[in-house]
Amino acid sequence: MRYRAYTTAFRVEARQQTRYRGAAMGGIVTQVFFGLILVALYDTLSGGTDEGFRRTATYVWLQQIFFRAYFNLDSELNDQVMTGNVAYSMLRPVDLHSWWFWRAMAQKIITIAMRILPMLLLQLLLPERWRLLPPADIPAFVQFAFSLLIGFMIICQINLICSAISMRTLDNKGITAMINLLMMILAGNIIPLTLVPDRLQTLIRLQPFAQLLDAPIRMYQGMASPGEWLAAAALQLGWLVLLWGLCRWMWSRNLLRIEVQGG
Amino acid sequence: MSEPLIRAEGLTKRYRRSTGGKGLTGFFGRSTETVDGLVDATFRVEPGEIVGLLGPNGAGKSTTVKLLTGILRPDGGSCSVGGLVPWRDRRTYTAGIGTVFGQRMQLWWDVPILDSFRLLRDIYRVEETAWKNRLDELAEALALGDLLNVPLRQLSLGQRMRAELCGSLLHSPKLLFLDEPTIGLDAVSKLNLREFLLLERERHGTTILLTTHDMADMQALCRRVLVLGHGRLLYDGSLHDILQRYDTRHEVRCRFAGEPVWQDIPSSVALRRDEGEWELSFAPHAIPADEVLRLILAAGRIEELTLKEAPVDEMVAEMYNALHLS
């Protein structure tokens, strides 16, 4: 089968990730803590018992549950990029962009899968007002699940674009710090995009970072109409195709000109 | 004569290296210089040959291997291996070669090596039964049977190297590249590795290209060597011949019954007194050994005489010297 190498890469990496249970526990505690602070803060700011606050709290919790997915988790790729050893992966008869992409997907999916249940249980310990609301309805949940998967794929492309840039600079600190900062702000992790003033919100929703988790979360909370859902889904897919193409192009270009260090 | 497997014509690769710049100038602009990785190398390798690449650090050995494996693209010249161009037909080409780098493990660090081998089976699309048979064969020859479920990081260097070799051969490549495969290995491991490579070639006719600093590796494995220096191919021929040519450190130690009287010692013979013994070193291509013996016999009555053979590494150093490599 043509794609066997990539499904295997996914499987092996997925199994690998299940070993990092300690890291998962640490992450859960941190994310619950941040979720708690943000929810308490928005509760104080909202000042009442309105529906709006419950939606914000739900938004915050979903952002915290999926927080780890934002980051490039592939330390092997990072090492290889920094040392220039990534060239050695050209010795394998595989498409390298696809190879690293499916690894990244496995890392994100498993990392998140290990965090979902404990975090859902932990937030149940909170006062009801601060808890996560269930999805609007079953179709909303299905839309959310699909959209989340697309969102992960887009994040992987963004991570791999950073790696492609790092191949040229041989250092990933600068670009990673910049992208992470942009992502935290523009993807709705620190300030839910639902709280951004209306005019700005329309604009901010168009940019790629809003496709990562903001779009899935809005679907979770229920779209106003099928048309609105269609527009959001199309936008998300459009960005995926665009970034996928850009990322592939950057990778193939960089691998052609990469020079292995040392003689 | 059969069709050569590797055909390189005028293969050239130059690196650009940043020379920095001092203080603030380095911040504003960096100057670069060009370093010769490999210049105008032309050679052929026949199927089933074991060819050694020899040369000091930075001579262009690894550059040659990287060009031939498709990791690097050349700046000039051409190269075809089994009808394919390594850097252009990368995916088709790499499916048919094996590579082992002594300084860089290619198996996955954290997973049991059997998992790595399964992954390689899928990457190289090896059919299940063929894979199984090959793994059995290699695991036995490389004594990996008990280690298959151990992660790479928990293996000793020698075990890792064996695992790497196994991984590189699972898809039965016709051509194997070994870049300093014995680096850091103990004597027994080196010996086993050499035996294995010879066996592999005998069984499957695998063509092997090998770089090493270990002359014993070379002597055990290769009849033919390519000597590189400063990116140039300086010698292409038999290992035996080149060792003879640069075997310049023959030494004779002798003890005389009385005080010897040396007569007409030519400049090609170095004479040195070491306690009660005399040491004569000479280059066999400059003066024949029997001529030296005649000189010794003429000097006095001999009590003891020993011929010291030059260590191979010294010969290589001498060879590099003569070729202006050091």
Side-chain angles (χ1 to χ4, degrees):
Chain A
M1 205 179 92
R2 249 187 91 195
Y3 300 105
R4 204 169 79 182
Y6 311 113
T7 52
T8 313
F10 184 92
R11 216 179 49 233
V12 169
E13 195 51 39
R15 211 172 83 187
Q16 192 60 25
Q17 287 297 315
T18 58
R19 294 182 170 197
Y20 304 139
R21 286 179 283 254
M25 262 154 62
I28 289 163
V29 173
T30 315
Q31 256 52 75
V32 169
F33 178 71
F34 272 102
L36 196 59
I37 289 182
L38 285 173
V39 169
L41 180 71
Y42 289 123
D43 194 10
T44 317
L45 292 177
S46 76
T49 55
D50 57 311
E51 192 59 21
F53 165 68
R54 295 298 305 270
R55 286 174 71 88
T56 302
T58 301
Y59 190 106
V60 166
W61 281 121
L62 290 171
Q63 280 278 355
Q64 293 306 320
I65 289 173
F66 298 111
F67 176 74
R68 276 296 280 179
Y70 283 127
F71 303 109
N72 175 359
L73 304 170
D74 205 330
S75 53
E76 189 181 317
L77 176 60
N78 291 341
D79 287 351
Q80 288 197 10
V81 166
M82 305 267 273
T83 53
N85 278 341
V86 68
Y88 286 95
S89 54
M90 291 166 76
L91 292 169
R92 303 290 189 208
V94 291
D95 175 73
L96 294 171
H97 173 257
S98 307
W99 173 263
W100 294 108
F101 169 76
W102 285 110
R103 270 174 65 95
M105 278 302 279
Q107 288 157 0
K108 296 201 191 302
I109 290 171
I110 300 303
T111 306
I112 295 306
M114 285 195 296
R115 284 163 168 80
I116 288 181
L117 202 62
M119 285 197 62
L120 286 180
L121 291 176
L122 278 173
Q123 57 90 36
L124 279 181
L125 299 174
L126 302 176
E128 200 192 342
R129 187 178 153 71
W130 284 3
R131 286 182 207 161
L132 178 83
L133 289 171
D137 47 34
I138 292 173
F141 182 75
V142 175
Q143 290 172 0
F144 160 75
F146 271 106
S147 176
L148 191 65
L149 209 61
I150 308 278
F152 280 11
M153 289 186 178
I154 300 178
I155 302 178
C156 289
Q157 299 304 339
I158 292 176
N159 293 158
L160 286 176
I161 286 172
C162 288
S163 298
I165 294 170
S166 309
M167 274 185 228
R168 303 284 279 269
T169 59
L170 290 181
D171 182 59
N172 63 6
K173 290 190 209 77
I175 183 72
T176 310
M178 196 174 81
I179 291 288
N180 285 354
L181 180 69
L182 278 176
M183 201 140 60
M184 290 304 90
I185 296 166
L186 293 175
N189 183 266
I190 294 171
I191 303 163
L193 298 189
T194 41
L195 297 184
V196 174
D198 280 350
R199 289 266 280 294
L200 195 56
Q201 201 180 120
T202 322
L203 261 178
I204 221 168
R205 287 251 152 88
L206 290 174
Q207 49 86 31
F209 295 111
Q211 316 310 318
L212 312 181
L213 289 183
D214 178 74
I217 294 174
R218 280 192 299 141
M219 292 182 193
Y220 179 95
Q221 302 200 314
M223 288 299 207
S225 66
E228 196 189 343
W229 169 75
L230 211 62
L235 182 64
Q236 224 195 348
L237 272 175
W239 272 116
L240 176 62
V241 171
L242 196 78
L243 291 172
W244 195 305
L246 175 69
C247 191
R248 279 197 78 83
W249 177 75
M250 288 177 79
W251 268 73
S252 61
R253 246 180 70 98
N254 280 3
L255 285 174
L256 288 186
R257 44 158 292 154
I258 203 160
E259 297 207 331
V260 194
Q261 308 295 304
Chain B
M1 200 143 130
S2 58
E3 183 69 8
L5 180 65
I6 300 177
R7 191 198 295 265
E9 308 272 351
L11 209 52
T12 300
K13 175 73 197 175
R14 293 194 164 85
Y15 298 102
R16 271 205 321 276
R17 181 160 74 185
S18 162
T19 49
K22 289 199 180 88
L24 276 178
T25 51
F27 183 80
F28 289 114
R30 276 174 229 178
S31 45
T32 54
E33 60 177 2
T34 312
V35 183
D36 293 339
L38 191 67
V39 181
D40 200 20
T42 299
F43 58 91
R44 275 153 200 229
V45 176
E46 306 297 325
E49 263 192 296
I50 302 187
V51 176
L53 289 169
L54 196 60
N57 290 330
K61 300 188 301 290
S62 292
T63 301
T64 308
V65 170
K66 282 164 190 164
L67 285 167
L68 291 178
T69 51
I71 302 184
L72 283 179
R73 349 184 91 207
D75 298 315
S78 66
C79 166
S80 95
V81 186
L84 296 170
V85 178
W87 49 90
R88 202 191 58 206
D89 310 315
R90 183 181 73 82
R91 283 172 66 186
T92 324
Y93 175 67
T94 52
I97 62 166
T99 50
V100 172
F101 295 87
Q103 316 245 42
R104 210 195 149 274
M105 298 293 144
Q106 291 185 87
L107 295 178
W108 288 265
W109 190 244
D110 279 323
V111 301
I113 54 176
L114 183 60
D115 287 8
S116 278
F117 295 157
R118 288 208 182 100
L119 195 49
L120 290 173
R121 173 196 64 198
D122 294 345
I123 289 176
Y124 289 92
R125 292 183 214 160
V126 184
E127 196 257 320
E128 176 71 31
T129 45
W131 173 78
K132 201 132 191 13
N133 292 338
R134 182 73 167 140
L135 179 60
D136 287 346
E137 180 196 343
L138 289 169
E140 200 205 313
L142 290 162
L144 285 169
D146 301 332
L147 304 172
L148 290 174
N149 290 309
V150 182
L152 189 68
R153 68 183 144 79
Q154 289 175 8
L155 297 181
S156 74
L157 185 63
Q159 293 169 334
R160 264 180 225 162
M161 218 49 235
R162 270 144 56 200
E164 283 282 322
L165 258 178
C166 180
S168 72
L169 290 168
L170 277 172
H171 57 293
S172 308
K174 283 269 151 252
L175 175 59
L176 178 64
F177 292 92
L178 302 168
D179 197 359
E180 300 187 23
T182 56
I183 201 159
L185 296 190
D186 63 42
V188 180
S189 303
K190 279 183 185 176
L191 227 61
N192 290 339
L193 203 92
R194 288 176 205 142
E195 262 173 38
F196 168 78
L197 290 172
L198 289 171
L199 181 77
E200 173 67 20
R201 174 181 173 248
E202 195 186 300
R203 278 190 190 163
H204 302 283
T206 316
T207 310
I208 299 176
L209 231 83
L210 168 87
T211 81
T212 179
H213 286 293
D214 188 315
M215 277 310 297
D217 284 351
M218 282 281 172
Q219 286 179 307
L221 295 170
C222 316
R223 269 201 218 124
R224 178 175 161 213
V225 287
L226 304 176
V227 181
L228 290 156
H230 302 309
R232 267 125 182 124
L233 181 57
L234 300 166
Y235 175 84
D236 175 356
S238 119
L239 175 63
H240 181 77
D241 287 355
I242 196 162
L243 284 180
Q244 283 238 310
R245 192 180 329 163
Y246 295 104
D247 185 1
T248 56
R249 283 262 199 282
H250 275 295
E251 276 176 16
V252 184
R253 290 177 78 86
C254 43
R255 196 200 305 273
F256 292 91
E259 195 62 22
V261 184
W262 296 104
Q263 281 164 5
D264 306 323
I265 301 291
S267 59
S268 56
V269 178
L271 187 63
R272 198 165 66 84
R273 183 165 198 159
D274 183 11
E275 312 259 302
E277 292 186 355
W278 290 82
E279 190 183 280
L280 291 89
S281 69
F282 61 98
H285 60 84
I287 179 167
D290 52 354
E291 193 71 36
V292 177
L293 281 177
R294 221 166 286 141
L295 285 170
I296 297 170
L297 289 170
R301 209 163 65 83
I302 300 159
E303 273 190 341
E304 197 183 306
L305 187 137
T306 49
L307 190 78
K308 211 172 97 193
E309 270 208 62
V312 180
D313 291 330
E314 274 178 34
M315 288 181 215
V316 175
E318 193 57 44
M319 181 173 82
Y320 291 169
N321 243 331
L323 296 170
H324 304 292
L325 293 183
S326 47

